[in-house]
Amino acid sequence: MKQKLLDKFAELFGDTEGVTAYFAPGRVNLIGEHTDYNGGHVFPCALTIGTYAVARKRNDRTINFFSINQSGKGLITTSLDDLTPSDAAGWTNYPKGIVWAFLGRGLDIPSGFDMVIGGDIPAGSGLSSSASLEVLTGFMLRDLFNIPDVTNIDLALIGQYSENNYNGMNCGIMDQFASAMGKKDNAILLDCATLEYEYAPISLKDAKIVVTNSKVKHSLVDSAYNDRRSSCEKALEELQTKVDIKTLGDLSEEEFEANKDAIKDEVRVRRAHHAVYENQRTIRAVEALKNGDIAEFGRLMNRSHISLRDDYETSCPECDVLAEEAWKIDGVIGSRITGGGFGGCTVSIVRDDAIENFKAALTAAYQKKCKLTPEFYVVSIGNGPVII
Ligand code: GLA
């Protein structure tokens, strides 16, 4: 990938002298879905696939972007003096938003730059290609313009800030945090209310994490996501008339059951139910993992899927088929939809000796029921952003 990007850079900008190459990972979330913006816990890990860039400072205020994944879009040019988001800017609204957020924090970006990017995260798979591009851009700016005070957690926060305020997607902190703070062979238990985190080694004995791409992405994803978030905010306000809490993540299941009558709408009860129970499931799942109880971890993953399907309603028929069929296959320890939802991927834990059968059986069932062929990735857990 690096060589491809360097070749393109030379073709576009004359040579590659003084160019630096960067990488930031995508992520998969093992459990703790739609809990981040509800002050709960998440348990994602960074992947070894992600987004790459080669870049160099310029002597003027021009910023040039080129993506080898979207080469049809050509060179997209803007300037430090023109950072308003626009439809025409397409994918470059992500890196532009990061430049905008750096400047908004008073960080000095004295000149423009040339940036050629490429990625190996399948498009629309829900493995956080956009968060990886945000973290990558922040990591690159920090290096190019020598801004050492920005930590990797800052890179995650800047990415989320920009996505919320520049790109109009009200996401939580999980994806950017997982990308910026990834650690090889570890998942990250993150308390999204405090940003306290701990790494948990993923040793699944004789099993692996398998991501299955449904190959569907339903429309209106961002608006449905923002809608879930505002339902939970409303439910929280209603609960606060009875209990002294700051987020839904503050509630145990029992406290929720005792106070849920404060929520005046049945749909909102289900949304909040998911947020509260999923948070507790995540804490329990990590405990189970620490105790070597992978079977319990898998059961909690399955329950997470059911809750996302029935209460939070962010699954979709195709991902339901993938998870439900996976549950029937011998050697599958757990399986659930992962990420924002409405398409994208499921994540499963599958025994090593069952992986080939898992792929074949799931492909057959999915083709039969959904007329689509899934794609499988046996996941390796990687580090956060690096210079390559
Ligand atoms: C998307 C968002 C995250 C998180 C997940 C759901 O990936 O970007 O912040 O809310 O959905 O868990």
Side-chain angles (χ1 to χ4, degrees), residues 27 29 32-37 169 171-175 225 339-340:
R27 66 93 188 91
N29 188 23
E33 216 65 83
H34 292 278
T35 44
D36 57 354
Y37 53 84
M169 163 74 172
C171 66
I173 189 66
M174 173 171 71
D175 304 348
Y225 181 95

Side-chain angles (χ1 to χ4, degrees), residues 43-95:
F43 195 52
C45 47
L47 300 172
T48 49
I49 54 173
T51 312
Y52 296 78
V54 295
R56 179 170 69 191
K57 278 193 282 197
R58 294 178 58 92
N59 295 322
D60 56 19
R61 295 180 67 77
T62 300
I63 303 175
N64 285 312
F65 295 111
F66 187 90
S67 165
I68 63 166
N69 294 79
Q70 302 200 37
S71 46
K73 301 248 164 73
L75 192 68
I76 301 181
T77 299
T78 185
S79 121
L80 279 173
D81 306 310
D82 178 18
L83 291 172
T84 34
S86 71
D87 287 347
W91 69 269
T92 70
N93 282 319
Y94 291 104

Side-chain angles (χ1 to χ4, degrees), residues 141-346:
L141 293 175
R142 177 171 83 183
D143 180 63
L144 280 184
F145 298 104
N146 194 18
I147 320 177
D149 292 346
V150 175
T151 65
N152 276 29
I153 294 185
D154 291 331
L155 294 180
L157 289 167
I158 289 170
Q160 183 201 17
Y161 180 84
S162 150
E163 185 142 352
N164 290 172
N165 297 292
Y166 193 89
N167 302 100
M169 163 74 172
N170 246 336
C171 66
I173 189 66
M174 173 171 71
D175 304 348
Q176 292 81 4
F177 198 98
S179 177
M181 297 294 290
K183 183 173 171 188
K184 190 175 184 324
D185 296 333
N186 282 258
I188 311 169
L189 176 65
L190 172 67
D191 178 342
C192 300
T194 61
L195 293 193
E196 273 166 42
Y197 65 97
E198 70 180 80
Y199 291 109
I202 298 296
S203 47
L204 298 172
K205 294 179 191 151
D206 56 351
K208 294 216 165 39
I209 300 169
V210 185
V211 168
T212 306
N213 190 347
S214 70
K215 307 271 243 349
V216 296
K217 194 82 211 163
H218 292 277
S219 56
L220 298 178
V221 174
D222 289 7
S223 62
Y225 181 95
N226 291 346
D227 168 74
R228 294 299 181 283
R229 185 166 180 159
S230 51
S231 294
C232 286
E233 282 162 5
K234 176 87 179 123
L236 174 65
E237 274 171 33
E238 292 169 295
L239 285 162
Q240 282 169 332
T241 62
K242 284 190 78 184
V243 270
D244 184 19
I245 49 168
K246 289 203 176 61
T247 69
L248 294 178
D250 290 336
L251 289 177
S252 65
E253 290 107 327
E254 296 74 24
E255 287 163 336
F256 176 73
E257 295 303 332
N259 293 290
K260 68 180 183 191
D261 59 333
I263 307 173
K264 296 299 171 213
D265 170 82
E266 183 270 330
V267 173
R268 279 201 299 277
V269 174
R270 286 193 283 120
R271 304 293 190 247
H273 183 278
H274 168 79
V276 170
Y277 279 67
E278 178 77 355
N279 180 41
Q280 299 300 332
R281 262 194 295 273
T282 305
I283 296 167
R284 255 174 235 145
V286 177
E287 261 325 290
L289 194 69
K290 283 183 187 161
N291 296 332
D293 190 351
I294 296 165
E296 175 65 2
F297 190 89
R299 277 192 291 275
L300 291 163
M301 287 175 78
N302 297 350
R303 268 189 250 144
S304 165
H305 183 85
I306 292 169
S307 179
L308 290 159
R309 182 191 68 192
D310 298 345
D311 284 342
Y312 218 64
E313 296 178 278
T314 50
S315 187
C316 62
E318 296 86 353
C319 289
D320 288 343
V321 168
L322 287 179
E324 289 161 19
E325 292 295 327
W327 298 339
K328 298 179 197 162
I329 300 170
D330 207 31
V332 173
I333 296 161
S335 185
R336 57 182 285 278
I337 186 170
T338 183
F342 309 103
C345 292
T346 59

